[in-house]
Amino acid sequence: MEVPYGYTGKILRVNLSDKTISVEEPEDMFYRKYWGGRGLIAYYLLNELPKGADPLGPENILIFAAGPLTGAPVAGSGRNSVGAKSPLTGGYGDAEAGGYFGAELKRAGFDAIIIKGASEKPVYLWVHDGEAEIRDAAHLWGKTTAEAEEIIKNELGDKLVRVSQCGPAGENLVRFSCVVNDLTHFAGRTGMGAVMGSKKLRAVAVRGKGSVALSDAGKVRELARWMVENVPRLAFGLQDTGTAGGTVNLSTAGGLPTRNFREGSFEGAEKISGQAMKETILVDRETCFACPIRCKRVVKAEQPFKIDPRYGGPEYETVAALGSSLGVDSLLHVAKGNEMCAAFGLDTISTGVTIAFAVECFSEGVLGPEDVGGLDLRFGNPDAALTLIEMIAKRQGIGDLLAEGTKRAAEKIGGRAPELAMHVRGQEIPMHEPRLKYALGIGYALSPTGADHCHNIHDTLYEKRENRAMQELYGLGVLDPLPSDDLSPEKIHMFWTVTNLRTFYNVAVMCQFVPWSVIQLEELARAVTGWNVTAAEMLLAGERANTLARIFNLREGLKSEEEALPKRFFQPFSSGPLKGRAARPEDWAKAKLQAYRMAGWDERGVPSRECLGRLGIGWAAEMLPSSSK
Amino acid sequence: MEVPYGYTGKILRVNLSDKTISVEEPEDMFYRKYWGGRGLIAYYLLNELPKGADPLGPENILIFAAGPLTGAPVAGSGRNSVGAKSPLTGGYGDAEAGGYFGAELKRAGFDAIIIKGASEKPVYLWVHDGEAEIRDAAHLWGKTTAEAEEIIKNELGDKLVRVSQCGPAGENLVRFSCVVNDLTHFAGRTGMGAVMGSKKLRAVAVRGKGSVALSDAGKVRELARWMVENVPRLAFGLQDTGTAGGTVNLSTAGGLPTRNFREGSFEGAEKISGQAMKETILVDRETCFACPIRCKRVVKAEQPFKIDPRYGGPEYETVAALGSSLGVDSLLHVAKGNEMCAAFGLDTISTGVTIAFAVECFSEGVLGPEDVGGLDLRFGNPDAALTLIEMIAKRQGIGDLLAEGTKRAAEKIGGRAPELAMHVRGQEIPMHEPRLKYALGIGYALSPTGADHCHNIHDTLYEKRENRAMQELYGLGVLDPLPSDDLSPEKIHMFWTVTNLRTFYNVAVMCQFVPWSVIQLEELARAVTGWNVTAAEMLLAGERANTLARIFNLREGLKSEEEALPKRFFQPFSSGPLKGRAARPEDWAKAKLQAYRMAGWDERGVPSRECLGRLGIGWAAEMLPSSSK
């Protein structure tokens, strides 16, 4: 059980204002405590970003972070996070993307890139085998992501370069613009594309020929082989119909966000489902670094419009956000919208929810025809949706207002508009319905990045115990399965455990779709790093990262009353499978307070000194509101 | 990762009042949630023992409990717990013993024996291969443990019968009488011998020829082999000089309880040490079921008095309690006292501390010569100590008062006596000094069984990271080592983690001295049970058991102010290596409150509903004081 090697990772620092580049090498202990992803990003933001900094100003710090497991030759390890203060929420921001960029960054010698300052002129960063160079990007500005990527690869003379970039939407500071890896993988949420745009950093190109050190390469290979052999048994559905394979089931259960969350079932669900995609426009399946699952879609069309297969195909979130959420049952239009968001660099969730907001405003008379430039903004009008995507990316007409996100747009519109804006703390609600999954709603409210589905409980999974990792964490005898409309302290414990485990995936920067068990995850973490970690430490690492992100938000002024759901989610559905169902506001408020207490936070949601001690981050106490010290 | 078999365990129920015997078979989930030991005992006491029951009355429930890992052929698995409402503390009581009894009980087909009622005449219980019989024990009453064991084995005609019994001290309801396994292993604390005595149950004899089911026998064998091969490297000291091997070092550090905790260094430490034992009276080393360590001592002497090697030899706790704590530097007398305690069935810790209390009362004039029957009760008078052991066991003279334990005796004596009584909630302080180990003092106060060293942090270990299991739980990068006089929230977290892990050892009924790593413990638990447990679940299982025991105490009226240390521990040493050192009462009180909060308890120490939810024991809410529901 001796630690066979100390983990070593380098961090590249780039200042775009004065064009300086340097490398630092934190000690092994730093990585074991903060890992990568959210842990590393929150650590640096708290320690180096001045309080109150403008997210779109040069002070903001943009961090591309891999993690200690990134680049190990096993399924799920190719990813990276992108983090900064969020222009969408004004608080902690990060998003993860799959693909190959994270693994390539590690092979280039770096665990993370910390980017400060802002360039006067468009630039891109070229990172290769331990070195980095800031290069002119004037010729990339305004180009689609596919155009820009092709130019970069050509001028670097290497087709294997991995490119992570914002698109024109990021250049235009659309607050929900995303970061695009390899055209088909998206760090979608919290507006990281706009942070790139604000720094005039169009792209980061990476190439590395090194290898990632493994403490026990034999064990890593054994785990990789196991997953290859078991993917047909454990992840056939993901491979067959992608993440959108469950769309119809979700609609049948009443939890498919439909027409801006006014309904939970969509009559056109089958038409936009993963099954329909497979039978019509699907031309290939793609994957990420070292992953045998192949859950990524590649779609293509020529009529009635071209859909470029270089941009892959829509995930479930996109199918719902640009489909049912807009009342659109045309898969072709959903796929076209997906391609446009990829080309412009827009987060499909926020884009869809923002358009749904505009549509509902229009249909409720909150916005008039003159406000929307004469567009026929009905639910179920797919062409208007596509038009709005382009207008948002280019900040044209009503698109300029919508590019600010639902929260800011609703405040400007006024009247009833804020009621129709489906967001938490400025980030649009993802495609999971809190009236189906009650604890998920708590998770939306308490997420440090605003409404988030990636580090959240999906109650229905734990009703049925479908998740291998969770099955092991709870065990058959430890916690009984709880119904999805339960908000008991037992469910809140389950919520926190899921959140902490999912945030461990975040800090390890591993894909949550790969059906590793928790036990395998422990084994993998040990085999790669040489650290004797257990699930207990892994859960604490996840909790630590989330708590640091929360502390960042508190430092920036987060108030407990902002940790709330839109009122709509407390109004029972008037029809459909979940007719009459919604959490009572008083039950929900009680559960939220219980979640605070269980985490060791006071009634304002401020982590106690005990909580910091438990997580080994006493140093962050001084970042908290003074009364809590 | 499928569960290859459901764990099945049977529980034997015996009612000594009406002589009925039955067997029940809880489901797999019950065992995974509560395991054995404290988890199982606290569950049954809370659910079946009426509130306010007299610990020495027939209502009390006595439970012999093994655990799911007991009897697996690996080091550390031979143990069992004995639990009941404690006659010493009036609260939750249990104690663990090593040896073979637990493994034999499992081979006889049972995970536990639940004994209710009381017999009118002395009896013993004979359990063998799924059956049980209540037998007459009139001929055993008053006999030493060795005599009784020999008679039982002879009349059952089987030398391999394992006998767990109280001694004459238990018969005489000495409140700190113990339960003796195989003459040399003791469930020492909380007065379980007196509960046996009150039920007129002199012994439980067990013999089983079955085998313990293993989910993955190959893995269990692999782990067993690993330990055999690594014992010379990892546990040589324990084998060489036993648990008393550290006596001199502890004295040098200033943490060897000396003269009733008035001092922390003992000038005679070398003479009573494990090294001295090895060089003089040690004649053999013994061990427990399947354990290659052989930490148990066997000592023998003929002059100046006989010491019977059938009773083994003194452990560290005994060396200190009957040695330094009494100012006695004669190893022969310590060993004789150990033999006498084993023969009478007395807990050596409480016996030593109670005698030290009497000695200090006498030397301070709180007790006069007439009170003590003319005994020369000086610190450093070994003969008087041996005399008092017998007087306590037989409740003769001052022994009758001292047999009530320091708390009750001090209350009866009055005056300054309570200040000189070194106990928490009635249980005498073990041989570890809270002025050396500050967080250990918190552990003494918060232990559900009164002052306890087995489920407690030993700060100095974590200063140096000597403990393999802890090293893994904290990890190199996760928590920094903290000095032994630290009481920060970080230390309190460490305290709770250690407590929960050690209590997992309790509920798994595994020996803490076997140097398993946490990772091996996970592997072992999985291999034996087939459950996909991780360290996270194991820590929760420990916490769950401790919390149930706490809830039992709260139901019986526990007040927060009883969770305190004797004032002496806040008075700095006036000399020695730790001169001037003691926690400040206000710092200590703050740390205690932080420990409450970190556990999810209110300021009265009552677990919150969130805490119960986290542990999956919402059913216990109704046992709590009403205001906390």
Side-chain angles (χ1 to χ4, degrees):
Chain A
M1 292 296 151
E2 286 75 20
V3 179
Y5 84 105
Y7 183 84
T8 54
K10 289 180 179 154
I11 291 179
L12 177 66
R13 284 183 178 270
V14 176
N15 188 314
L16 294 175
S17 295
D18 62 14
K19 309 289 190 272
T20 53
I21 292 173
S22 63
V23 174
E24 71 180 35
E25 196 162 354
E27 58 182 345
D28 175 74
M29 285 197 189
F30 173 85
Y31 287 104
R32 185 158 174 180
K33 194 163 190 174
Y34 302 106
W35 295 70
R38 182 166 295 178
L40 187 146
I41 293 165
Y43 175 87
Y44 280 106
L45 291 187
L46 266 174
N47 282 287
E48 302 193 7
L49 182 65
K51 179 177 172 178
D54 176 4
L56 296 176
E59 278 187 326
N60 203 358
I61 300 172
L62 178 70
I63 302 176
F64 289 75
L69 307 190
T70 308
V74 288
S77 73
R79 303 167 71 78
N80 71 286
S81 283
V82 188
K85 184 171 180 179
S86 167
L88 193 59
T89 70
Y92 176 85
D94 74 30
E96 286 173 73
Y100 300 80
F101 183 88
E104 198 72 28
L105 182 63
K106 289 288 283 275
R107 294 183 60 189
F110 299 109
D111 274 50
I113 309 172
I114 298 176
I115 298 162
K116 295 189 175 183
S119 179
E120 283 185 23
K121 296 177 182 172
V123 293
Y124 74 96
L125 185 66
W126 166 223
V127 179
H128 51 102
D129 289 319
E131 295 181 16
E133 182 187 346
I134 299 168
R135 294 174 66 109
D136 177 59
H139 54 307
L140 304 177
W141 214 246
K143 294 278 193 293
T144 65
T145 52
E147 291 164 351
E149 180 171 303
E150 191 175 351
I151 296 170
I152 291 170
K153 286 185 173 182
N154 284 336
E155 71 186 36
L156 295 176
D158 187 345
K159 288 290 177 195
L160 295 175
V161 160
R162 299 292 172 181
V163 177
S164 183
Q165 60 174 318
C166 71
E171 296 174 3
N172 294 330
L173 308 180
V174 175
R175 287 188 188 268
F176 47 86
S177 55
C178 69
V179 174
V180 183
N181 288 2
D182 296 343
L183 307 184
T184 56
H185 305 276
F186 307 91
R189 314 236 62 201
T190 70
M192 294 298 106
V195 179
M196 287 189 81
S198 73
K199 295 188 177 303
K200 294 273 196 296
L201 177 69
R202 176 58 200 254
V204 179
V206 175
R207 181 78 167 101
K209 299 183 184 100
S211 64
V212 172
L214 303 174
S215 175
D216 181 351
K219 182 71 189 175
V220 175
R221 275 196 299 272
E222 179 194 320
L223 286 161
R225 265 198 308 273
W226 187 95
M227 187 54 74
V228 170
E229 286 162 12
N230 284 275
V231 153
R233 180 171 67 88
L234 293 170
F236 172 75
L238 266 180
Q239 192 168 74
D240 187 44
T241 51
T243 54
T247 308
V248 172
N249 283 346
L250 212 48
S251 180
T252 307
L256 180 67
T258 301
R259 287 178 274 269
N260 202 31
F261 294 93
R262 295 199 304 196
E263 296 152 72
S265 293
F266 181 47
E267 64 286 357
E270 278 188 33
K271 290 187 181 174
I272 58 172
S273 68
Q275 289 77 3
M277 204 185 312
K278 177 185 163 190
E279 289 160 12
T280 57
I281 54 177
L282 190 75
V283 295
D284 202 358
R285 294 175 172 87
E286 272 300 339
T287 193
C288 300
F289 175 77
C291 184
I293 296 182
R294 307 188 77 76
C295 77
K296 306 292 292 180
R297 309 289 92 177
V298 183
V299 304
K300 186 178 177 182
E302 299 292 339
Q303 294 296 335
F305 32 66
K306 282 203 175 208
I307 299 178
D308 186 343
R310 289 182 298 170
Y311 290 110
E315 301 270 355
Y316 163 71
E317 295 295 325
T318 305
V319 157
L322 300 181
S324 56
S325 161
L326 300 177
V328 166
D329 66 3
S330 161
L331 183 58
L332 272 168
H333 284 80
V334 168
K336 184 67 188 173
N338 180 67
E339 179 219 71
M340 292 170 69
C341 286
F344 292 133
L346 285 171
D347 172 38
T348 56
I349 298 173
S350 284
T351 300
V353 174
T354 301
I355 293 173
F357 159 76
V359 169
E360 190 169 359
C361 282
F362 184 74
S363 63
E364 296 286 313
V366 179
L367 285 173
E370 69 291 355
D371 296 314
V372 301
L375 277 176
D376 179 19
L377 285 189
R378 285 178 291 106
F379 284 118
N381 179 355
D383 294 312
L386 297 184
T387 304
L388 272 184
I389 290 175
E390 183 162 0
M391 291 171 71
I392 289 169
K394 297 184 172 169
R395 282 191 175 270
Q396 295 167 339
I398 182 82
D400 188 38
L401 178 64
L402 298 179
E404 294 292 290
T406 51
K407 177 170 181 268
R408 286 177 177 78
E411 283 164 2
K412 281 199 186 155
I413 295 166
R416 283 188 55 222
E419 285 175 41
L420 312 179
M422 297 295 111
H423 71 87
V424 171
R425 293 179 41 244
Q427 173 146 290
E428 287 70 25
I429 307 271
M431 296 297 111
H432 306 274
E433 173 55 71
R435 280 166 292 190
L436 173 61
K437 306 167 183 175
Y438 282 21
L440 173 99
I442 302 285
Y444 281 163
L446 301 192
S447 160
T449 59
D452 168 81
H453 64 290
C454 291
H455 309 93
N456 206 341
I457 189 170
H458 289 259
D459 307 45
T460 48
L461 278 179
Y462 312 113
E463 255 180 353
K464 300 178 203 154
R465 290 208 187 99
E466 281 172 356
N467 181 305
R468 294 179 73 230
M470 284 301 129
Q471 200 170 22
E472 282 158 11
L473 265 188
Y474 292 122
L476 297 169
V478 178
L479 278 186
D480 295 326
L482 294 168
S484 53
D485 62 353
D486 180 275
L487 279 175
S488 66
E490 285 74 9
K491 176 62 89 55
I492 299 299
H493 169 59
M494 206 179 260
F495 156 70
W496 273 133
T497 308
V498 172
T499 297
N500 294 337
L501 179 66
R502 288 184 186 270
T503 312
F504 172 73
Y505 276 91
N506 177 309
V507 301
V509 202
M510 290 290 293
C511 176
Q512 300 182 28
F513 281 120
V514 182
W516 296 118
S517 71
V518 167
I519 292 169
Q520 288 171 319
L521 209 56
E522 285 183 320
E523 290 173 343
L524 180 63
R526 292 173 200 149
V528 174
T529 62
W531 300 329
N532 295 327
V533 297
T534 68
E537 182 174 339
M538 289 153 55
L539 289 171
L540 276 183
E543 186 177 3
R544 184 180 298 117
N546 258 343
T547 306
L548 289 174
R550 177 176 196 80
I551 292 169
F552 181 88
N553 288 338
L554 289 163
R555 189 189 77 167
E556 301 297 318
L558 172 70
K559 296 281 174 288
S560 175
E561 49 270 30
E562 299 171 67
E563 299 195 303
L565 287 184
K567 281 184 193 162
R568 176 156 294 173
F569 295 116
F570 300 105
Q571 292 157 359
F573 286 112
S574 56
S575 64
L578 296 182
K579 183 179 174 181
R581 175 160 144 157
R584 293 192 307 164
E586 58 271 30
D587 294 342
W588 193 89
K590 182 180 171 193
K592 176 182 147 184
L593 195 60
Q594 287 178 322
Y596 277 14
R597 287 196 201 120
M598 214 175 276
W601 307 341
D602 69 16
E603 72 287 350
R604 298 167 304 151
V606 178
S608 64
R609 187 63 187 81
E610 290 80 28
C611 171
L612 303 187
R614 189 164 56 76
L615 299 171
I617 49 171
W619 58 264
E622 64 185 61
M623 320 277 187
L624 287 171
S626 58
S627 59
S628 61
K629 276 178 199 169
Chain B
M1 292 295 152
E2 288 74 20
V3 178
Y5 82 106
Y7 183 84
T8 54
K10 289 181 180 157
I11 292 179
L12 177 67
R13 283 184 179 269
V14 177
N15 188 315
L16 294 175
S17 295
D18 63 14
K19 309 289 191 272
T20 53
I21 291 173
S22 63
V23 174
E24 70 181 34
E25 197 161 354
E27 58 182 346
D28 176 75
M29 287 198 188
F30 173 85
Y31 287 105
R32 185 157 175 180
K33 194 163 191 174
Y34 302 106
W35 295 69
R38 183 165 294 178
L40 187 145
I41 293 165
Y43 176 87
Y44 280 106
L45 290 187
L46 265 175
N47 282 288
E48 302 193 8
L49 182 64
K51 180 177 173 177
D54 176 3
L56 297 176
E59 277 188 327
N60 202 357
I61 300 172
L62 178 70
I63 301 175
F64 289 75
L69 307 189
T70 308
V74 287
S77 73
R79 302 167 70 78
N80 72 287
S81 282
V82 188
K85 185 171 180 179
S86 167
L88 192 59
T89 70
Y92 176 85
D94 74 29
E96 286 174 72
Y100 300 80
F101 183 88
E104 196 73 27
L105 182 64
K106 289 288 283 277
R107 293 183 62 188
F110 298 109
D111 275 49
I113 310 172
I114 298 177
I115 298 163
K116 294 188 176 184
S119 178
E120 283 185 24
K121 295 176 182 172
V123 293
Y124 74 96
L125 185 66
W126 167 222
V127 179
H128 51 103
D129 288 319
E131 295 182 16
E133 182 187 347
I134 299 168
R135 294 174 67 108
D136 177 58
H139 55 306
L140 304 177
W141 214 245
K143 295 277 192 294
T144 65
T145 51
E147 289 163 353
E149 181 171 303
E150 192 175 350
I151 296 169
I152 290 170
K153 286 185 171 180
N154 283 337
E155 72 186 36
L156 295 176
D158 187 344
K159 287 289 176 195
L160 294 176
V161 161
R162 299 293 173 181
V163 177
S164 183
Q165 60 173 318
C166 71
E171 296 175 1
N172 295 330
L173 308 181
V174 175
R175 287 187 189 267
F176 48 85
S177 54
C178 68
V179 174
V180 183
N181 288 3
D182 296 343
L183 307 185
T184 56
H185 305 276
F186 308 92
R189 314 237 60 201
T190 70
M192 293 300 106
V195 179
M196 286 188 80
S198 73
K199 295 188 176 305
K200 293 272 198 297
L201 177 69
R202 175 58 198 253
V204 179
V206 175
R207 181 78 166 102
K209 299 184 183 97
S211 64
V212 172
L214 303 174
S215 174
D216 182 349
K219 183 71 189 175
V220 175
R221 276 195 300 272
E222 178 194 320
L223 286 161
R225 266 198 308 273
W226 187 95
M227 187 54 74
V228 169
E229 286 162 12
N230 284 277
V231 153
R233 180 170 68 88
L234 293 171
F236 172 75
L238 266 179
Q239 192 168 74
D240 187 44
T241 50
T243 54
T247 309
V248 171
N249 283 347
L250 212 48
S251 180
T252 306
L256 180 66
T258 301
R259 285 177 276 269
N260 202 31
F261 293 93
R262 295 200 305 194
E263 295 152 73
S265 292
F266 182 47
E267 65 284 357
E270 278 189 34
K271 289 189 183 172
I272 58 172
S273 68
Q275 289 77 2
M277 204 185 311
K278 177 185 162 190
E279 288 161 13
T280 57
I281 54 178
L282 189 76
V283 295
D284 202 358
R285 293 173 172 88
E286 272 300 340
T287 193
C288 299
F289 174 78
C291 184
I293 296 182
R294 307 188 76 76
C295 77
K296 307 292 292 181
R297 309 288 92 177
V298 182
V299 302
K300 186 178 178 183
E302 298 292 341
Q303 294 296 334
F305 33 65
K306 281 202 172 209
I307 299 178
D308 186 344
R310 288 181 300 172
Y311 290 110
E315 302 270 356
Y316 164 71
E317 295 294 326
T318 306
V319 157
L322 301 181
S324 56
S325 160
L326 300 177
V328 165
D329 66 2
S330 161
L331 182 59
L332 271 166
H333 284 80
V334 168
K336 183 67 188 175
N338 181 68
E339 180 219 71
M340 291 170 70
C341 286
F344 292 133
L346 284 172
D347 173 38
T348 56
I349 298 173
S350 285
T351 301
V353 174
T354 301
I355 294 174
F357 159 75
V359 169
E360 189 169 0
C361 282
F362 184 73
S363 64
E364 296 284 312
V366 179
L367 285 173
E370 69 291 357
D371 296 314
V372 301
L375 278 175
D376 178 19
L377 286 189
R378 284 179 290 105
F379 283 119
N381 179 355
D383 295 312
L386 297 185
T387 303
L388 272 184
I389 291 175
E390 183 163 0
M391 290 171 74
I392 289 168
K394 297 184 172 169
R395 282 190 174 271
Q396 295 167 339
I398 182 82
D400 188 39
L401 178 64
L402 298 180
E404 295 291 291
T406 50
K407 177 170 181 268
R408 286 177 176 78
E411 283 163 1
K412 281 200 186 155
I413 295 167
R416 284 188 55 223
E419 284 175 41
L420 312 180
M422 298 295 110
H423 70 87
V424 171
R425 294 180 39 244
Q427 172 146 290
E428 286 71 23
I429 307 269
M431 296 297 112
H432 306 273
E433 173 54 72
R435 281 166 291 190
L436 174 60
K437 306 168 184 174
Y438 282 22
L440 172 100
I442 302 286
Y444 280 163
L446 300 192
S447 159
T449 58
D452 168 80
H453 65 290
C454 290
H455 309 93
N456 207 341
I457 190 169
H458 289 259
D459 306 45
T460 48
L461 278 179
Y462 312 112
E463 258 180 351
K464 300 179 204 156
R465 290 209 189 97
E466 280 172 356
N467 181 304
R468 295 179 74 229
M470 284 301 128
Q471 200 171 20
E472 282 158 13
L473 266 188
Y474 292 122
L476 297 169
V478 178
L479 279 186
D480 295 324
L482 295 168
S484 53
D485 62 353
D486 179 275
L487 279 175
S488 66
E490 285 74 10
K491 176 61 89 56
I492 298 299
H493 169 58
M494 206 178 260
F495 156 70
W496 274 133
T497 308
V498 172
T499 296
N500 294 338
L501 179 66
R502 288 183 187 271
T503 311
F504 173 74
Y505 275 93
N506 177 309
V507 302
V509 203
M510 289 290 294
C511 177
Q512 298 182 29
F513 280 121
V514 183
W516 296 117
S517 71
V518 167
I519 292 169
Q520 287 171 321
L521 208 56
E522 285 182 320
E523 291 173 344
L524 180 63
R526 291 173 201 152
V528 174
T529 62
W531 300 330
N532 294 328
V533 296
T534 68
E537 181 175 339
M538 288 154 54
L539 289 171
L540 276 182
E543 187 177 2
R544 184 180 298 119
N546 258 344
T547 306
L548 288 174
R550 178 175 196 81
I551 292 170
F552 181 88
N553 289 338
L554 289 163
R555 189 189 77 168
E556 301 297 318
L558 172 70
K559 296 283 174 286
S560 175
E561 50 269 31
E562 300 171 67
E563 300 195 303
L565 286 184
K567 281 184 193 164
R568 176 157 294 174
F569 295 116
F570 299 105
Q571 292 157 358
F573 287 112
S574 56
S575 64
L578 297 181
K579 184 178 174 183
R581 176 159 143 158
R584 293 192 308 164
E586 57 272 30
D587 293 342
W588 194 89
K590 183 180 171 192
K592 175 182 146 184
L593 196 60
Q594 287 177 322
Y596 277 14
R597 288 196 200 119
M598 214 175 275
W601 307 342
D602 69 15
E603 72 289 347
R604 299 166 304 151
V606 177
S608 64
R609 186 63 186 79
E610 291 81 27
C611 171
L612 303 186
R614 189 164 56 77
L615 299 170
I617 49 172
W619 58 263
E622 65 185 59
M623 319 279 186
L624 287 172
S626 58
S627 59
S628 63
K629 276 177 196 169

